[in-house]
Amino acid sequence: MPAPRTLQSLCFATALAACGQPPTPESEPVEISPTDFVVFDCGSQRAAPCAVLSAGGKQIVFGAPAGAIADLQSVDLARLDALMLFSLAAESIEGVDEIRNASWRAGRLDPLRLAGPEGVAAFAAGVDAAFQAADALAVIDAPPPGGFDAAPLAPVTGRRAGQWRAFDTGDLTIDVQAAAGGRAEYLVIYEGEALGVGACGLAVGRWPGCLGDGADHPWPLGEVFFVDRSEP
């Protein structure tokens, strides 16, 4: 049986179109290795931003607008490690169950880690409760590899002056910070390189400050963004 395709194998030496990007005449092959620290748009921008971050062999989706799954079809959803929400506003969460369900059916073996602003745990509980019956029927019809235990969301919450750690693999950490207006911003650190991710875009080396300083690179990015190869 062939090995499952990962984000890196999909993007390595292929056009941007293979990474969820719309093809253009100017598109050149983009090489991404498992050790690169990269971010790219999920695809066509919708009512709210959606982006994929890849670092250290992990892949994280930021934002879940409606229809996000259509733009994530090239990403190995079975190996999705976490979903980070910018807010609990409707335009930012309408795609949560699409991503949860599609990644589970694709073969995700563990509950999907979910982070976001205050209230994300209650939101996750509501999503899980709303789809329990449908999930049970899916398992009976064709059990996904992870079984029913992999279907629920796994919210990550905490409080330390409005900031807490949402993801940690040793070489890759993601901290979430509560922002004004019920929003959440993230600081991703991978092998000493820091990147802020927020609803306004990316900020190199700092929190994005979407209600203050703002992003260095606003959405949509339009290209694969290499953190360690880019200037602020």
Side-chain angles (χ1 to χ4, degrees):
M1 178 181 297
R5 295 187 299 171
T6 65
L7 172 63
Q8 286 76 20
S9 64
L10 281 168
C11 298
F12 187 81
T14 59
L16 268 62
C19 298
Q21 302 277 351
T24 67
E26 296 80 18
S27 293
E28 295 291 338
V30 176
E31 295 185 357
I32 299 177
S33 77
T35 59
D36 280 330
F37 185 6
V38 301
V39 182
F40 56 86
D41 299 316
C42 289
S44 57
Q45 292 301 292
R46 300 177 182 276
C50 179
V52 179
L53 178 144
S54 175
K58 303 298 182 182
Q59 52 194 50
I60 317 290
V61 171
F62 287 85
I69 194 63
D71 292 329
L72 292 171
Q73 59 185 341
S74 295
V75 175
D76 188 353
L77 290 167
R79 297 174 62 87
L80 186 63
D81 292 289
L83 173 60
M84 308 286 175
L85 303 177
F86 296 122
S87 79
L88 297 181
E91 65 271 14
S92 298
I93 61 173
E94 290 176 325
V96 168
D97 186 62
E98 299 174 22
I99 297 172
R100 180 200 70 88
N101 193 294
S103 60
W104 174 50
R105 287 174 177 260
R108 178 168 48 79
L109 301 178
D110 299 301
L112 181 61
R113 185 172 304 195
L114 180 72
E118 185 174 355
V120 71
F123 167 71
V127 171
D128 289 339
F131 292 97
Q132 278 180 354
D135 289 344
L137 291 174
V139 169
I140 292 172
D141 180 52
F148 184 75
D149 289 343
L153 297 167
V156 180
T157 60
R159 282 292 177 272
R160 190 179 76 253
Q163 181 181 324
W164 60 97
R165 182 140 296 174
F167 196 83
D168 189 347
T169 62
D171 61 342
L172 172 65
T173 63
I174 303 177
D175 287 344
V176 55
Q177 178 173 265
R183 299 186 181 188
E185 296 185 343
Y186 300 89
L187 186 67
V188 184
I189 298 179
Y190 175 61
E191 295 190 339
E193 299 282 352
L195 180 72
V197 184
C200 57
L202 306 178
V204 178
R206 62 179 176 85
W207 290 92
C210 290
L211 299 180
D213 297 336
D216 300 319
H217 305 275
W219 309 117
L221 298 175
E223 61 183 5
V224 178
F225 183 88
F226 287 85
V227 177
D228 56 349
R229 301 182 195 174
S230 304
E231 294 297 329

